Amino acid sequence: MKKKSCYLMAALLVIFSFSCSTRHAVSVAPVEIKPIHITIDVNIKVDKALDDFFEDIDKTADETVQPADTQN
């Protein structure tokens, strides 16, 4: 009797262990990299107007600062 109950318990253990198996599937999708388009508008007219506006100041600064001739 004891032998039959051991076999029965072993059979139940095997049945329950196989019935409780789970399966997990993880899928990794490929990462899509798209190009980024950036538009930069540079206003050249403003830059030229500022250069023209400060041109006289730059000329005056260049004329007043003259390197001294050093003689050795």
Side-chain angles (χ1 to χ4, degrees):
M1 180 84 172
K2 205 171 198 185
K3 210 174 199 183
K4 285 185 180 180
S5 65
C6 283
Y7 287 131
L8 180 64
M9 290 297 260
L12 287 175
L13 182 64
V14 169
I15 291 171
F16 283 128
S17 66
F18 285 121
S19 66
C20 294
S21 66
T22 60
R23 186 174 298 191
H24 301 281
V26 177
S27 63
V28 178
V31 177
E32 185 177 344
I33 300 174
K34 295 181 180 180
I36 299 173
H37 298 284
I38 300 173
T39 304
I40 300 174
D41 294 329
V42 179
N43 197 344
I44 302 295
K45 290 182 180 180
V46 172
D47 189 33
K48 287 182 181 179
L50 287 174
D51 286 342
D52 292 340
F53 181 76
F54 292 113
E55 184 177 345
D56 57 340
I57 297 173
D58 291 337
K59 283 183 182 177
T60 308
D62 289 339
E63 291 172 358
T64 56
V65 179
Q66 295 175 353
D69 292 330
T70 57
Q71 296 176 355
N72 291 339

